[in-house]
Amino acid sequence: MPSNAKEVQVQVVTEIQDEDRNETMEIQGPGQFFSRGDTQVLTFTEHPEESEPVNTMVTIKPEHVSIKRSGGVEMRQVFQQSMETENLYHHTYGDFHMKTYTEELDFRSLQESTQGRLYLSYKMTLNHEVTQAHRLTLTFEEESES
């Protein structure tokens, strides 16, 4: 972990919508944030109820955002404004082919404000079949010294 890493409190709200249902998931917990040049990185661990912990690393660069998960699931998702990207999602139940089309990408750094924010709006297609609209809002702020 770089020496300029800051302890942060992370909140992730994911909204998934398809033809007949809406689902909202929320996680929060501690994480670390650091920057190197024009790259900013946020790391945290998700603790899903039914499976093992998932380590998440969000890398924000001027031209794209990538989210890498390892542990209970293995995947790397890349987001580029108005572009489609592809990858594999390794899960306990098998591998899924994933296509992601990023409609909107907005990032505000901790360097610009007291609360960092990443907003992604995208369409995701699993195994060339099911397409769902996703909205991900990730906020993070430095833990206050108490």
Side-chain angles (χ1 to χ4, degrees):
M1 192 60 50
S3 59
N4 68 342
K6 298 177 180 176
E7 297 295 318
V8 292
Q9 199 57 35
V10 179
Q11 179 183 30
V12 182
V13 177
T14 306
E15 300 167 80
I16 303 172
Q17 185 177 4
D18 59 25
E19 291 168 7
D20 50 2
R21 70 185 181 100
N22 278 336
E23 183 180 351
T24 300
M25 295 168 290
E26 188 176 322
I27 61 162
Q28 39 193 341
Q32 286 85 34
F33 173 80
F34 63 92
S35 58
R36 187 179 301 129
D38 62 1
T39 301
Q40 300 185 48
V41 178
L42 182 67
T43 60
F44 57 94
T45 302
E46 300 174 47
H47 296 276
E49 291 174 20
E50 295 91 35
S51 61
E52 62 183 276
V54 177
N55 297 315
T56 301
M57 182 165 82
V58 181
T59 305
I60 301 117
K61 296 186 175 195
E63 67 281 358
H64 74 274
V65 169
S66 73
I67 298 177
K68 182 180 180 199
R69 291 187 165 110
S70 58
V73 298
E74 299 279 335
M75 66 174 260
R76 179 173 180 263
Q77 213 170 354
V78 176
F79 301 91
Q80 286 181 275
Q81 182 82 35
S82 304
M83 291 189 70
E84 185 174 79
T85 57
E86 295 185 49
N87 67 295
L88 274 179
Y89 175 65
H90 303 284
H91 192 276
T92 317
Y93 305 110
D95 291 351
F96 298 95
H97 178 265
M98 211 163 69
K99 280 187 184 177
T100 303
Y101 178 80
T102 306
E103 297 170 319
E104 191 179 340
L105 187 158
D106 183 55
F107 177 67
R108 182 178 64 226
S109 170
L110 260 188
Q111 296 160 332
E112 302 166 40
S113 131
T114 56
Q115 184 182 69
R117 179 180 178 271
L118 173 64
Y119 173 79
L120 296 167
S121 173
Y122 59 98
K123 295 229 180 321
M124 189 171 77
T125 305
L126 275 180
N127 283 342
H128 311 285
E129 295 167 13
V130 180
T131 299
Q132 300 172 319
H134 287 242
R135 282 199 308 253
L136 181 141
T137 306
L138 186 155
T139 53
F140 55 101
E141 54 192 319
E142 265 190 87
E143 294 206 22
S144 53
E145 309 273 327
S146 46

PDB file of all heavy atoms in Angstrom, residues 92-121:
ATOM      1  N   THR A  92     -18.902 -19.130  -8.480  1.00  0.00           N
ATOM      2  CA  THR A  92     -19.038 -20.490  -7.970  1.00  0.00           C
ATOM      3  C   THR A  92     -19.874 -21.350  -8.914  1.00  0.00           C
ATOM      4  O   THR A  92     -19.634 -22.532  -9.073  1.00  0.00           O
ATOM      5  CB  THR A  92     -19.751 -20.463  -6.591  1.00  0.00           C
ATOM      6  OG1 THR A  92     -19.212 -19.395  -5.834  1.00  0.00           O
ATOM      7  CG2 THR A  92     -19.564 -21.760  -5.848  1.00  0.00           C
ATOM      8  N   TYR A  93     -20.868 -20.731  -9.550  1.00  0.00           N
ATOM      9  CA  TYR A  93     -21.802 -21.470 -10.400  1.00  0.00           C
ATOM     10  C   TYR A  93     -21.319 -21.578 -11.846  1.00  0.00           C
ATOM     11  O   TYR A  93     -22.049 -22.024 -12.711  1.00  0.00           O
ATOM     12  CB  TYR A  93     -23.185 -20.802 -10.365  1.00  0.00           C
ATOM     13  CG  TYR A  93     -23.700 -20.647  -8.960  1.00  0.00           C
ATOM     14  CD1 TYR A  93     -23.805 -19.393  -8.375  1.00  0.00           C
ATOM     15  CD2 TYR A  93     -24.052 -21.753  -8.193  1.00  0.00           C
ATOM     16  CE1 TYR A  93     -24.254 -19.236  -7.074  1.00  0.00           C
ATOM     17  CE2 TYR A  93     -24.495 -21.621  -6.901  1.00  0.00           C
ATOM     18  CZ  TYR A  93     -24.605 -20.357  -6.344  1.00  0.00           C
ATOM     19  OH  TYR A  93     -25.042 -20.221  -5.057  1.00  0.00           O
ATOM     20  N   GLY A  94     -20.095 -21.132 -12.138  1.00  0.00           N
ATOM     21  CA  GLY A  94     -19.568 -21.246 -13.493  1.00  0.00           C
ATOM     22  C   GLY A  94     -19.086 -19.915 -14.028  1.00  0.00           C
ATOM     23  O   GLY A  94     -19.072 -18.908 -13.326  1.00  0.00           O
ATOM     24  N   ASP A  95     -18.671 -19.929 -15.304  1.00  0.00           N
ATOM     25  CA  ASP A  95     -18.181 -18.721 -15.960  1.00  0.00           C
ATOM     26  C   ASP A  95     -19.269 -18.111 -16.825  1.00  0.00           C
ATOM     27  O   ASP A  95     -19.997 -18.834 -17.508  1.00  0.00           O
ATOM     28  CB  ASP A  95     -16.973 -19.053 -16.855  1.00  0.00           C
ATOM     29  CG  ASP A  95     -15.754 -19.445 -16.034  1.00  0.00           C
ATOM     30  OD1 ASP A  95     -15.797 -19.288 -14.807  1.00  0.00           O
ATOM     31  OD2 ASP A  95     -14.776 -19.902 -16.641  1.00  0.00           O
ATOM     32  N   PHE A  96     -19.353 -16.802 -16.801  1.00  0.00           N
ATOM     33  CA  PHE A  96     -20.332 -16.080 -17.605  1.00  0.00           C
ATOM     34  C   PHE A  96     -19.605 -15.086 -18.499  1.00  0.00           C
ATOM     35  O   PHE A  96     -18.694 -14.393 -18.055  1.00  0.00           O
ATOM     36  CB  PHE A  96     -21.305 -15.300 -16.709  1.00  0.00           C
ATOM     37  CG  PHE A  96     -22.113 -16.167 -15.790  1.00  0.00           C
ATOM     38  CD1 PHE A  96     -21.682 -16.394 -14.491  1.00  0.00           C
ATOM     39  CD2 PHE A  96     -23.290 -16.751 -16.214  1.00  0.00           C
ATOM     40  CE1 PHE A  96     -22.405 -17.194 -13.636  1.00  0.00           C
ATOM     41  CE2 PHE A  96     -24.027 -17.562 -15.354  1.00  0.00           C
ATOM     42  CZ  PHE A  96     -23.591 -17.778 -14.068  1.00  0.00           C
ATOM     43  N   HIS A  97     -20.029 -15.004 -19.748  1.00  0.00           N
ATOM     44  CA  HIS A  97     -19.505 -13.987 -20.658  1.00  0.00           C
ATOM     45  C   HIS A  97     -20.273 -12.700 -20.362  1.00  0.00           C
ATOM     46  O   HIS A  97     -21.493 -12.712 -20.220  1.00  0.00           O
ATOM     47  CB  HIS A  97     -19.731 -14.415 -22.110  1.00  0.00           C
ATOM     48  CG  HIS A  97     -19.271 -13.402 -23.091  1.00  0.00           C
ATOM     49  ND1 HIS A  97     -20.121 -12.467 -23.638  1.00  0.00           N
ATOM     50  CD2 HIS A  97     -18.048 -13.156 -23.619  1.00  0.00           C
ATOM     51  CE1 HIS A  97     -19.443 -11.691 -24.451  1.00  0.00           C
ATOM     52  NE2 HIS A  97     -18.179 -12.095 -24.471  1.00  0.00           N
ATOM     53  N   MET A  98     -19.569 -11.586 -20.266  1.00  0.00           N
ATOM     54  CA  MET A  98     -20.200 -10.335 -19.878  1.00  0.00           C
ATOM     55  C   MET A  98     -19.840  -9.227 -20.854  1.00  0.00           C
ATOM     56  O   MET A  98     -18.667  -9.036 -21.163  1.00  0.00           O
ATOM     57  CB  MET A  98     -19.677  -9.969 -18.482  1.00  0.00           C
ATOM     58  CG  MET A  98     -20.619  -9.221 -17.633  1.00  0.00           C
ATOM     59  SD  MET A  98     -20.132  -9.261 -15.882  1.00  0.00           S
ATOM     60  CE  MET A  98     -18.685  -8.288 -15.852  1.00  0.00           C
ATOM     61  N   LYS A  99     -20.853  -8.520 -21.342  1.00  0.00           N
ATOM     62  CA  LYS A  99     -20.625  -7.326 -22.157  1.00  0.00           C
ATOM     63  C   LYS A  99     -21.148  -6.138 -21.368  1.00  0.00           C
ATOM     64  O   LYS A  99     -22.227  -6.198 -20.794  1.00  0.00           O
ATOM     65  CB  LYS A  99     -21.402  -7.398 -23.472  1.00  0.00           C
ATOM     66  CG  LYS A  99     -20.768  -8.227 -24.532  1.00  0.00           C
ATOM     67  CD  LYS A  99     -21.552  -8.075 -25.828  1.00  0.00           C
ATOM     68  CE  LYS A  99     -20.990  -8.985 -26.897  1.00  0.00           C
ATOM     69  NZ  LYS A  99     -21.780  -8.901 -28.117  1.00  0.00           N
ATOM     70  N   THR A 100     -20.385  -5.055 -21.364  1.00  0.00           N
ATOM     71  CA  THR A 100     -20.769  -3.862 -20.626  1.00  0.00           C
ATOM     72  C   THR A 100     -20.734  -2.668 -21.569  1.00  0.00           C
ATOM     73  O   THR A 100     -19.696  -2.399 -22.175  1.00  0.00           O
ATOM     74  CB  THR A 100     -19.785  -3.607 -19.463  1.00  0.00           C
ATOM     75  OG1 THR A 100     -19.749  -4.768 -18.625  1.00  0.00           O
ATOM     76  CG2 THR A 100     -20.207  -2.403 -18.635  1.00  0.00           C
ATOM     77  N   TYR A 101     -21.867  -1.979 -21.707  1.00  0.00           N
ATOM     78  CA  TYR A 101     -21.907  -0.743 -22.495  1.00  0.00           C
ATOM     79  C   TYR A 101     -22.103   0.419 -21.525  1.00  0.00           C
ATOM     80  O   TYR A 101     -23.124   0.503 -20.836  1.00  0.00           O
ATOM     81  CB  TYR A 101     -23.036  -0.752 -23.533  1.00  0.00           C
ATOM     82  CG  TYR A 101     -23.091   0.539 -24.305  1.00  0.00           C
ATOM     83  CD1 TYR A 101     -22.210   0.769 -25.360  1.00  0.00           C
ATOM     84  CD2 TYR A 101     -23.974   1.558 -23.949  1.00  0.00           C
ATOM     85  CE1 TYR A 101     -22.209   1.971 -26.042  1.00  0.00           C
ATOM     86  CE2 TYR A 101     -23.988   2.761 -24.626  1.00  0.00           C
ATOM     87  CZ  TYR A 101     -23.109   2.967 -25.673  1.00  0.00           C
ATOM     88  OH  TYR A 101     -23.104   4.154 -26.345  1.00  0.00           O
ATOM     89  N   THR A 102     -21.121   1.305 -21.441  1.00  0.00           N
ATOM     90  CA  THR A 102     -21.158   2.414 -20.481  1.00  0.00           C
ATOM     91  C   THR A 102     -21.887   3.606 -21.088  1.00  0.00           C
ATOM     92  O   THR A 102     -21.456   4.151 -22.097  1.00  0.00           O
ATOM     93  CB  THR A 102     -19.723   2.824 -20.081  1.00  0.00           C
ATOM     94  OG1 THR A 102     -19.027   1.657 -19.624  1.00  0.00           O
ATOM     95  CG2 THR A 102     -19.748   3.886 -18.993  1.00  0.00           C
ATOM     96  N   GLU A 103     -22.997   3.982 -20.462  1.00  0.00           N
ATOM     97  CA  GLU A 103     -23.766   5.132 -20.925  1.00  0.00           C
ATOM     98  C   GLU A 103     -23.276   6.427 -20.294  1.00  0.00           C
ATOM     99  O   GLU A 103     -23.214   7.460 -20.933  1.00  0.00           O
ATOM    100  CB  GLU A 103     -25.253   4.926 -20.594  1.00  0.00           C
ATOM    101  CG  GLU A 103     -25.828   3.716 -21.312  1.00  0.00           C
ATOM    102  CD  GLU A 103     -27.202   3.350 -20.813  1.00  0.00           C
ATOM    103  OE1 GLU A 103     -27.453   3.396 -19.588  1.00  0.00           O
ATOM    104  OE2 GLU A 103     -28.037   3.017 -21.670  1.00  0.00           O
ATOM    105  N   GLU A 104     -22.951   6.355 -18.996  1.00  0.00           N
ATOM    106  CA  GLU A 104     -22.518   7.559 -18.288  1.00  0.00           C
ATOM    107  C   GLU A 104     -21.447   7.192 -17.270  1.00  0.00           C
ATOM    108  O   GLU A 104     -21.544   6.171 -16.598  1.00  0.00           O
ATOM    109  CB  GLU A 104     -23.716   8.191 -17.575  1.00  0.00           C
ATOM    110  CG  GLU A 104     -23.452   9.572 -17.041  1.00  0.00           C
ATOM    111  CD  GLU A 104     -24.678  10.179 -16.370  1.00  0.00           C
ATOM    112  OE1 GLU A 104     -25.810   9.731 -16.629  1.00  0.00           O
ATOM    113  OE2 GLU A 104     -24.483  11.093 -15.563  1.00  0.00           O
ATOM    114  N   LEU A 105     -20.431   8.038 -17.181  1.00  0.00           N
ATOM    115  CA  LEU A 105     -19.340   7.826 -16.241  1.00  0.00           C
ATOM    116  C   LEU A 105     -18.998   9.201 -15.662  1.00  0.00           C
ATOM    117  O   LEU A 105     -18.697  10.120 -16.404  1.00  0.00           O
ATOM    118  CB  LEU A 105     -18.143   7.234 -16.994  1.00  0.00           C
ATOM    119  CG  LEU A 105     -16.922   6.777 -16.211  1.00  0.00           C
ATOM    120  CD1 LEU A 105     -16.142   5.774 -17.053  1.00  0.00           C
ATOM    121  CD2 LEU A 105     -16.033   7.907 -15.820  1.00  0.00           C
ATOM    122  N   ASP A 106     -19.089   9.327 -14.346  1.00  0.00           N
ATOM    123  CA  ASP A 106     -18.806  10.611 -13.711  1.00  0.00           C
ATOM    124  C   ASP A 106     -17.993  10.344 -12.448  1.00  0.00           C
ATOM    125  O   ASP A 106     -18.364   9.498 -11.642  1.00  0.00           O
ATOM    126  CB  ASP A 106     -20.132  11.313 -13.365  1.00  0.00           C
ATOM    127  CG  ASP A 106     -19.886  12.682 -12.758  1.00  0.00           C
ATOM    128  OD1 ASP A 106     -19.188  13.495 -13.392  1.00  0.00           O
ATOM    129  OD2 ASP A 106     -20.375  12.930 -11.640  1.00  0.00           O
ATOM    130  N   PHE A 107     -16.881  11.046 -12.289  1.00  0.00           N
ATOM    131  CA  PHE A 107     -16.022  10.843 -11.128  1.00  0.00           C
ATOM    132  C   PHE A 107     -15.622  12.174 -10.513  1.00  0.00           C
ATOM    133  O   PHE A 107     -15.240  13.098 -11.215  1.00  0.00           O
ATOM    134  CB  PHE A 107     -14.760  10.065 -11.530  1.00  0.00           C
ATOM    135  CG  PHE A 107     -13.791   9.894 -10.389  1.00  0.00           C
ATOM    136  CD1 PHE A 107     -14.118   9.105  -9.301  1.00  0.00           C
ATOM    137  CD2 PHE A 107     -12.566  10.530 -10.402  1.00  0.00           C
ATOM    138  CE1 PHE A 107     -13.230   8.947  -8.240  1.00  0.00           C
ATOM    139  CE2 PHE A 107     -11.666  10.387  -9.349  1.00  0.00           C
ATOM    140  CZ  PHE A 107     -12.005   9.582  -8.267  1.00  0.00           C
ATOM    141  N   ARG A 108     -15.736  12.242  -9.192  1.00  0.00           N
ATOM    142  CA  ARG A 108     -15.245  13.395  -8.438  1.00  0.00           C
ATOM    143  C   ARG A 108     -14.263  12.845  -7.407  1.00  0.00           C
ATOM    144  O   ARG A 108     -14.622  11.999  -6.592  1.00  0.00           O
ATOM    145  CB  ARG A 108     -16.413  14.106  -7.753  1.00  0.00           C
ATOM    146  CG  ARG A 108     -15.959  15.364  -6.984  1.00  0.00           C
ATOM    147  CD  ARG A 108     -17.144  16.066  -6.349  1.00  0.00           C
ATOM    148  NE  ARG A 108     -17.763  15.218  -5.350  1.00  0.00           N
ATOM    149  CZ  ARG A 108     -19.072  15.011  -5.237  1.00  0.00           C
ATOM    150  NH1 ARG A 108     -19.922  15.573  -6.059  1.00  0.00           N
ATOM    151  NH2 ARG A 108     -19.558  14.229  -4.292  1.00  0.00           N
ATOM    152  N   SER A 109     -13.055  13.328  -7.445  1.00  0.00           N
ATOM    153  CA  SER A 109     -11.988  12.808  -6.601  1.00  0.00           C
ATOM    154  C   SER A 109     -12.047  13.387  -5.186  1.00  0.00           C
ATOM    155  O   SER A 109     -12.606  14.451  -4.961  1.00  0.00           O
ATOM    156  CB  SER A 109     -10.640  13.170  -7.230  1.00  0.00           C
ATOM    157  OG  SER A 109      -9.598  12.881  -6.339  1.00  0.00           O
ATOM    158  N   LEU A 110     -11.411  12.690  -4.267  1.00  0.00           N
ATOM    159  CA  LEU A 110     -11.238  13.212  -2.908  1.00  0.00           C
ATOM    160  C   LEU A 110     -10.358  14.448  -2.939  1.00  0.00           C
ATOM    161  O   LEU A 110     -10.385  15.254  -2.024  1.00  0.00           O
ATOM    162  CB  LEU A 110     -10.538  12.165  -2.036  1.00  0.00           C
ATOM    163  CG  LEU A 110     -11.372  11.317  -1.112  1.00  0.00           C
ATOM    164  CD1 LEU A 110     -10.474  10.493  -0.208  1.00  0.00           C
ATOM    165  CD2 LEU A 110     -12.341  12.125  -0.297  1.00  0.00           C
ATOM    166  N   GLN A 111      -9.555  14.600  -3.984  1.00  0.00           N
ATOM    167  CA  GLN A 111      -8.689  15.765  -4.094  1.00  0.00           C
ATOM    168  C   GLN A 111      -9.500  17.024  -4.427  1.00  0.00           C
ATOM    169  O   GLN A 111      -9.054  18.131  -4.224  1.00  0.00           O
ATOM    170  CB  GLN A 111      -7.615  15.517  -5.159  1.00  0.00           C
ATOM    171  CG  GLN A 111      -6.699  14.372  -4.752  1.00  0.00           C
ATOM    172  CD  GLN A 111      -5.958  13.761  -5.922  1.00  0.00           C
ATOM    173  OE1 GLN A 111      -6.426  13.773  -7.049  1.00  0.00           O
ATOM    174  NE2 GLN A 111      -4.778  13.221  -5.659  1.00  0.00           N
ATOM    175  N   GLU A 112     -10.715  16.834  -4.971  1.00  0.00           N
ATOM    176  CA  GLU A 112     -11.557  17.976  -5.347  1.00  0.00           C
ATOM    177  C   GLU A 112     -12.596  18.309  -4.284  1.00  0.00           C
ATOM    178  O   GLU A 112     -13.175  19.381  -4.309  1.00  0.00           O
ATOM    179  CB  GLU A 112     -12.322  17.662  -6.646  1.00  0.00           C
ATOM    180  CG  GLU A 112     -11.456  17.326  -7.829  1.00  0.00           C
ATOM    181  CD  GLU A 112     -12.281  16.703  -8.955  1.00  0.00           C
ATOM    182  OE1 GLU A 112     -13.410  17.171  -9.196  1.00  0.00           O
ATOM    183  OE2 GLU A 112     -11.796  15.752  -9.578  1.00  0.00           O
ATOM    184  N   SER A 113     -12.875  17.381  -3.392  1.00  0.00           N
ATOM    185  CA  SER A 113     -13.983  17.576  -2.468  1.00  0.00           C
ATOM    186  C   SER A 113     -13.783  16.689  -1.243  1.00  0.00           C
ATOM    187  O   SER A 113     -12.924  15.818  -1.238  1.00  0.00           O
ATOM    188  CB  SER A 113     -15.265  17.259  -3.240  1.00  0.00           C
ATOM    189  OG  SER A 113     -16.107  16.399  -2.579  1.00  0.00           O
ATOM    190  N   THR A 114     -14.594  16.882  -0.207  1.00  0.00           N
ATOM    191  CA  THR A 114     -14.435  16.075   1.008  1.00  0.00           C
ATOM    192  C   THR A 114     -14.990  14.669   0.805  1.00  0.00           C
ATOM    193  O   THR A 114     -14.679  13.764   1.561  1.00  0.00           O
ATOM    194  CB  THR A 114     -15.166  16.721   2.199  1.00  0.00           C
ATOM    195  OG1 THR A 114     -16.528  16.914   1.838  1.00  0.00           O
ATOM    196  CG2 THR A 114     -14.521  18.033   2.579  1.00  0.00           C
ATOM    197  N   GLN A 115     -15.848  14.505  -0.209  1.00  0.00           N
ATOM    198  CA  GLN A 115     -16.404  13.185  -0.482  1.00  0.00           C
ATOM    199  C   GLN A 115     -16.143  12.835  -1.942  1.00  0.00           C
ATOM    200  O   GLN A 115     -16.516  13.582  -2.844  1.00  0.00           O
ATOM    201  CB  GLN A 115     -17.916  13.152  -0.208  1.00  0.00           C
ATOM    202  CG  GLN A 115     -18.503  11.758  -0.401  1.00  0.00           C
ATOM    203  CD  GLN A 115     -19.997  11.738  -0.190  1.00  0.00           C
ATOM    204  OE1 GLN A 115     -20.752  12.288  -0.979  1.00  0.00           O
ATOM    205  NE2 GLN A 115     -20.436  11.102   0.877  1.00  0.00           N
ATOM    206  N   GLY A 116     -15.456  11.709  -2.178  1.00  0.00           N
ATOM    207  CA  GLY A 116     -15.244  11.232  -3.537  1.00  0.00           C
ATOM    208  C   GLY A 116     -16.494  10.521  -4.016  1.00  0.00           C
ATOM    209  O   GLY A 116     -17.252   9.965  -3.216  1.00  0.00           O
ATOM    210  N   ARG A 117     -16.719  10.537  -5.337  1.00  0.00           N
ATOM    211  CA  ARG A 117     -17.928   9.899  -5.871  1.00  0.00           C
ATOM    212  C   ARG A 117     -17.643   9.375  -7.269  1.00  0.00           C
ATOM    213  O   ARG A 117     -17.083  10.074  -8.107  1.00  0.00           O
ATOM    214  CB  ARG A 117     -19.063  10.911  -5.931  1.00  0.00           C
ATOM    215  CG  ARG A 117     -20.358  10.361  -6.491  1.00  0.00           C
ATOM    216  CD  ARG A 117     -21.424  11.466  -6.496  1.00  0.00           C
ATOM    217  NE  ARG A 117     -22.666  11.006  -7.057  1.00  0.00           N
ATOM    218  CZ  ARG A 117     -22.966  11.066  -8.345  1.00  0.00           C
ATOM    219  NH1 ARG A 117     -22.112  11.560  -9.210  1.00  0.00           N
ATOM    220  NH2 ARG A 117     -24.129  10.633  -8.780  1.00  0.00           N
ATOM    221  N   LEU A 118     -18.049   8.129  -7.511  1.00  0.00           N
ATOM    222  CA  LEU A 118     -17.984   7.532  -8.838  1.00  0.00           C
ATOM    223  C   LEU A 118     -19.393   7.103  -9.195  1.00  0.00           C
ATOM    224  O   LEU A 118     -20.038   6.385  -8.429  1.00  0.00           O
ATOM    225  CB  LEU A 118     -17.050   6.312  -8.840  1.00  0.00           C
ATOM    226  CG  LEU A 118     -17.037   5.499 -10.137  1.00  0.00           C
ATOM    227  CD1 LEU A 118     -16.488   6.317 -11.304  1.00  0.00           C
ATOM    228  CD2 LEU A 118     -16.232   4.216  -9.949  1.00  0.00           C
ATOM    229  N   TYR A 119     -19.875   7.564 -10.339  1.00  0.00           N
ATOM    230  CA  TYR A 119     -21.216   7.178 -10.798  1.00  0.00           C
ATOM    231  C   TYR A 119     -21.072   6.524 -12.163  1.00  0.00           C
ATOM    232  O   TYR A 119     -20.420   7.070 -13.062  1.00  0.00           O
ATOM    233  CB  TYR A 119     -22.133   8.407 -10.897  1.00  0.00           C
ATOM    234  CG  TYR A 119     -23.473   8.070 -11.522  1.00  0.00           C
ATOM    235  CD1 TYR A 119     -24.465   7.447 -10.759  1.00  0.00           C
ATOM    236  CD2 TYR A 119     -23.740   8.346 -12.853  1.00  0.00           C
ATOM    237  CE1 TYR A 119     -25.690   7.114 -11.328  1.00  0.00           C
ATOM    238  CE2 TYR A 119     -24.955   8.020 -13.421  1.00  0.00           C
ATOM    239  CZ  TYR A 119     -25.935   7.397 -12.657  1.00  0.00           C
ATOM    240  OH  TYR A 119     -27.140   7.061 -13.224  1.00  0.00           O
ATOM    241  N   LEU A 120     -21.649   5.327 -12.307  1.00  0.00           N
ATOM    242  CA  LEU A 120     -21.634   4.608 -13.571  1.00  0.00           C
ATOM    243  C   LEU A 120     -23.050   4.194 -13.928  1.00  0.00           C
ATOM    244  O   LEU A 120     -23.775   3.653 -13.088  1.00  0.00           O
ATOM    245  CB  LEU A 120     -20.781   3.339 -13.468  1.00  0.00           C
ATOM    246  CG  LEU A 120     -19.301   3.514 -13.205  1.00  0.00           C
ATOM    247  CD1 LEU A 120     -18.667   2.180 -12.807  1.00  0.00           C
ATOM    248  CD2 LEU A 120     -18.611   4.072 -14.437  1.00  0.00           C
ATOM    249  N   SER A 121     -23.445   4.462 -15.165  1.00  0.00           N
ATOM    250  CA  SER A 121     -24.720   3.982 -15.679  1.00  0.00           C
ATOM    251  C   SER A 121     -24.366   3.136 -16.899  1.00  0.00           C
ATOM    252  O   SER A 121     -23.699   3.613 -17.814  1.00  0.00           O
ATOM    253  CB  SER A 121     -25.604   5.166 -16.067  1.00  0.00           C
ATOM    254  OG  SER A 121     -26.765   4.699 -16.713  1.00  0.00           O
TER     255      SER A 121
END
